[in-house]
């Protein structure tokens, strides 16, 4: 877990800075539920579950979520936000590159804004492929808002800020790169 990025420091404010508009969250939840139904999955592994901002609405819809993350702070935030309407998740501290599940354990896995943060995307994708049952589905983000050049400019600004403060810039995987890696991994 040493090279993966933990969001423990951001746990208290993460949801406030990453909130989806209600209509976007509702549409996303509907799309995910459609894909889960197509896969015949009422149980889902979310890799990098964090605060559950994506999977909490699925839990409210009766999906059993198994959530894995390297941040206890983020998962603590998830637990504090659950109500009686939610199906209780199974949460575990773990790294996406070494998952403690048997081969083919899940019909569906969800990975949103996490694959670029793990120590080895190739290892994480191999693990996801291993734990997915034959015909299983990986649900992930395909794109983000804004043109790629704007995202690159924003990232360049952050890299400059990091350098100014004596920190090394991090290697970023662009969402298109992640999609290509997922496709290449089968």
């Amino acid at each position: 877990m040493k090279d993966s990025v933990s969001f423990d420091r951001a746990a208290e404010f993460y949801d406030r800075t990453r909130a989806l508009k209600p209509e976007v969250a509702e549409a996303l939840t509907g799309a995910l539920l459609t894909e889960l139904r197509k896969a015949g999955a009422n149980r889902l592994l979310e890799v990098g579950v964090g605060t559950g901002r994506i999977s909490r609405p699925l839990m409210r819809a009766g999906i059993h979520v198994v959530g894995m993350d390297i941040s206890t702070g983020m998962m603590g935030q998830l637990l504090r936000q659950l109500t009686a309407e939610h199906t209780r998740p199974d949460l575990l501290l773990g790294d996406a590159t070494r998952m403690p599940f048997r081969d083919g354990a899940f019909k569906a896995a969800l990975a949103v804004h996490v694959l670029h943060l793990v120590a080895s995307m190739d290892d994480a994708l191999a693990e996801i492929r291993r734990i997915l049952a034959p015909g299983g589905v990986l649900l992930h983000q395909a794109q983000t808002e804004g043109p790629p050049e704007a995202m690159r400019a924003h990232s360049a600004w952050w890299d400059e800020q990091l350098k100014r403060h004596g920190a090394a810039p991090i290697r970023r995987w662009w969402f298109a790169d992640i999609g290509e890696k997922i496709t290449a991994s089968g």
Side-chain angles (χ1 to χ4, degrees):
M1 287 195 270
K2 66 180 178 150
D3 293 326
S4 295
V5 178
S6 170
F7 275 57
D8 272 333
R9 292 185 327 225
E12 292 297 318
F13 61 83
Y14 183 85
D15 284 339
R16 288 191 312 271
T17 63
R18 304 297 194 288
L20 298 172
K21 294 176 184 175
E23 62 274 12
V24 172
E26 187 177 322
L28 174 61
T29 300
L32 291 171
L33 287 170
T34 296
E35 293 303 317
L36 292 171
R37 287 183 189 116
K38 282 185 203 173
N42 61 359
R43 183 171 164 259
L44 167 75
L45 169 66
E46 184 172 6
V47 180
V49 69
T51 63
R53 75 181 179 110
I54 305 297
S55 60
R56 271 192 325 268
L58 298 173
M59 293 175 216
R60 200 170 35 249
I63 300 294
H64 180 153
V65 172
V66 176
M68 190 175 78
D69 206 295
I70 63 170
S71 171
T72 56
M74 294 286 277
M75 290 188 292
Q77 285 294 103
L78 184 161
L79 290 173
R80 283 188 282 283
Q81 296 180 63
L82 295 178
T83 68
E85 296 175 337
H86 293 93
T87 300
R88 294 294 286 185
D90 293 321
L91 300 178
L92 66 129
L93 186 65
D95 191 309
T97 64
R98 294 178 309 277
M99 293 190 215
F101 305 111
R102 65 178 167 72
D103 295 359
F106 295 89
K107 289 183 179 180
L110 175 65
V112 176
H113 297 155
V114 69
L115 293 174
H116 64 293
L117 300 172
V118 298
S120 169
M121 188 185 324
D122 291 329
D123 290 348
L125 288 172
E127 279 293 277
I128 291 169
R129 186 174 174 85
R130 180 186 66 75
I131 61 93
L132 280 175
V137 62
L138 168 59
L139 305 166
H140 71 97
Q141 81 282 352
Q143 61 186 16
T144 61
E145 295 179 19
E149 54 277 359
M151 290 175 60
R152 291 185 201 294
H154 180 73
S155 292
W157 180 86
W158 273 111
D159 287 347
E160 182 57 36
Q161 300 310 305
L162 289 170
K163 284 181 195 174
R164 275 188 40 216
H165 294 283
I170 60 171
R171 163 64 169 107
R172 287 187 180 77
W173 287 98
W174 300 99
F175 294 108
D177 299 331
I178 295 169
E180 289 173 13
K181 282 213 169 258
I182 290 170
T183 300
S185 75

